[in-house]
Amino acid sequence: MSIREELEAREKEILSPFAVCSANSAGRDKPLKPCPLRTEFQRDRDRILHCKSFRRLKFKTQVFIAPEGDHYRTRLTHTLEVSQVARTIARALRLNEDLTEAIALGHDLGHTPFGHSGERSLNRLTQSGFRHNEQSLRVVEVLEGGEGLNLTKEVRDGIRNHRTSGRPSTLEGQIVRLSDKIAYLNHDIDDSIRAGLITENDIPEDFRKTLGANVHDRLGTLIRDVIMHSLDEDRIIMSPGIEEAMQDLRKWMFEHVYIGGKAKEEEGKAKSMIELLFGYYMDHPERLTKDYLHLLEQGEAQERVVCDYISGMTDNYAIEKFEELFVPAGWKF
Ligand code: MG
């Protein structure tokens, strides 16, 4: 018996009846010879972790545009925090932790530079629209390595459906969908306090009473609530009181940080930069890099390919390209 077969047998023995066992995966579009060491979902996790799009998350904005301090979250640390929250929940519920981790590590691979402001700009500029979850799927199905990562159906389903409106078909996917919100709500509060945009005491007393009086306690309350209420259930849920408090705190963050706050003052500049870059590459497709020119030659729509190129940029690379294309060389100092 190989190590993988032993791991598969152990999954069947210990996982909940609601878990997806890796041996029961619906598989890949292009079948692969099984690995002697790793299950299919472990293999997907590794394929994501070793891809270039994953490394680029390091230089993509979470909330604060190109943050200068060393302690602010980036899209990469956000992804790792989502993965950690999701794995804790999956393990406690005896669901498949490897599948959960693979979905979590892949969920934001298609995120644009400059966070959601970049996403909104590309969405406005294109006829077919732009959504980061669909782009994450396109990264793993088409863009990475020129032919995609050939992941299992369960991992791709979880990535595609991680947004609020999504309906993941596995409980592991449902965990990531909820863990994404739990993680960003808490780390964005932490970063906002660090940046001096809000203080802990600005957070309304109701939320502090229900969820906890600091970032650490609130995170613990939310994770425990999901676990306690989803045990032996065929879906991932929270108690109504905690869920409502979390949603209301999220609304409060939208009003005070995401939309109304100082962090958004730079957003107009990011929007103009994306618009100018988009217009430039629509007029000059020949200036796209080799991999993207190849997609055009294969007959992909230009708008789609320009979106692929721009959404793949890190914040720094987008700024660099903008300077190269629009700022006269002598003006840079
Ligand atoms: Mg996310």
Side-chain angles (χ1 to χ4, degrees):
M1 204 188 226
S2 72
I3 289 174
R4 172 188 46 83
E5 285 167 326
E6 271 180 39
L7 292 172
E8 287 172 352
R10 206 181 303 160
E11 280 185 356
K12 287 190 172 159
E13 204 180 296
I14 63 170
L15 292 187
S16 131
F18 301 115
V20 182
C21 289
S22 48
N24 298 337
S25 166
R28 308 169 191 278
D29 287 351
K30 288 172 242 161
L32 290 176
K33 196 169 158 251
C35 171
L37 297 177
R38 298 166 302 165
T39 67
E40 293 305 318
F41 298 141
Q42 286 182 295
R43 206 175 196 180
D44 280 0
R45 175 205 55 204
D46 295 349
R47 288 179 163 226
I48 292 168
L49 194 77
H50 291 289
C51 81
K52 286 198 295 188
S53 307
F54 185 78
R55 293 194 289 280
R56 288 201 302 265
L57 295 174
K58 181 179 177 188
F59 296 111
K60 289 189 177 191
T61 296
Q62 175 61 25
V63 173
F64 299 96
I65 292 174
E68 279 178 21
D70 289 338
H71 298 129
Y72 293 105
R73 269 70 172 190
T74 63
R75 193 59 58 184
L76 179 65
T77 60
H78 159 71
T79 296
L80 296 175
E81 289 185 41
V82 173
S83 168
Q84 201 60 20
V85 169
R87 286 176 55 196
T88 299
I89 297 171
R91 194 185 293 196
L93 297 175
R94 289 185 296 118
L95 296 170
N96 197 315
E97 196 176 334
D98 298 323
L99 170 58
T100 308
E101 185 180 20
I103 296 169
L105 295 181
H107 85 282
D108 271 352
L109 288 177
H111 228 296
T112 56
F114 312 123
H116 287 283
S117 94
E119 179 176 28
R120 281 192 291 272
S121 296
L122 286 183
N123 190 40
R124 267 193 307 269
L125 290 163
T126 50
Q127 295 209 312
S128 50
F130 181 92
R131 282 160 290 272
H132 80 270
N133 59 318
E134 287 167 10
Q135 190 65 20
S136 295
L137 194 67
R138 186 165 160 82
V139 167
V140 300
E141 288 188 339
V142 180
L143 300 176
E144 262 301 324
E147 53 180 12
L149 298 174
N150 190 26
L151 304 179
T152 58
K153 287 205 170 59
E154 292 82 4
V155 172
R156 286 183 286 145
D157 169 82
I159 291 175
R160 184 208 310 260
N161 291 302
H162 80 266
R163 277 171 70 125
T164 309
S165 54
R167 293 282 168 271
S169 66
T170 65
L171 294 199
E172 287 82 354
Q174 291 181 28
I175 290 178
V176 174
R177 184 172 156 276
L178 195 52
S179 300
D180 188 21
K181 293 184 182 59
I182 292 175
Y184 78 62
L185 178 64
N186 285 287
H187 65 50
D188 289 351
I189 290 175
D190 190 40
D191 277 354
S192 306
I193 293 173
R194 178 166 294 107
L197 298 177
I198 55 170
T199 67
E200 177 62 44
N201 290 328
D202 291 335
I203 297 174
E205 192 54 32
D206 273 6
F207 304 138
R208 289 160 47 82
K209 261 196 202 132
T210 316
L211 300 174
N214 58 56
V215 173
H216 176 261
D217 287 355
R218 284 188 288 269
L219 190 56
T221 303
L222 293 168
I223 294 172
R224 271 195 307 277
D225 190 77
V226 177
I227 293 169
M228 299 323 288
H229 288 83
S230 307
L231 268 176
D232 302 320
E233 292 283 342
D234 62 356
R235 63 206 171 109
I236 301 301
I237 46 173
M238 299 175 90
S239 62
I242 298 286
E243 187 175 15
E244 201 189 325
M246 176 168 134
Q247 277 171 3
D248 290 347
L249 180 54
R250 189 162 161 255
K251 264 187 231 152
W252 185 87
M253 278 294 285
F254 267 94
E255 283 158 20
H256 292 82
V257 174
Y258 299 133
I259 295 174
K262 282 187 206 149
K264 296 289 117 168
E265 284 174 8
E266 296 294 297
E267 229 190 68
K269 296 179 200 168
K271 178 173 162 268
S272 314
M273 204 183 290
I274 296 283
E275 282 168 2
L276 283 164
L277 286 172
F278 183 84
Y280 181 84
Y281 289 108
M282 287 304 284
D283 291 343
H284 300 280
E286 74 285 355
R287 295 291 299 272
L288 291 164
T289 57
K290 185 168 78 10
D291 293 347
Y292 298 94
L293 284 172
H294 184 64
L295 288 172
L296 282 181
E297 283 157 17
Q298 286 179 320
E300 295 255 22
Q302 191 184 334
E303 184 185 273
R304 180 70 263 156
V305 177
V306 171
C307 267
D308 290 338
Y309 183 46
I310 294 177
S311 63
M313 292 179 178
T314 60
D315 292 16
N316 303 347
Y317 186 81
I319 293 168
E320 218 174 90
K321 279 285 152 198
F322 178 83
E323 285 185 348
E324 181 189 313
L325 297 172
F326 297 107
V327 181
W331 290 17
K332 280 196 255 174
F333 52 88

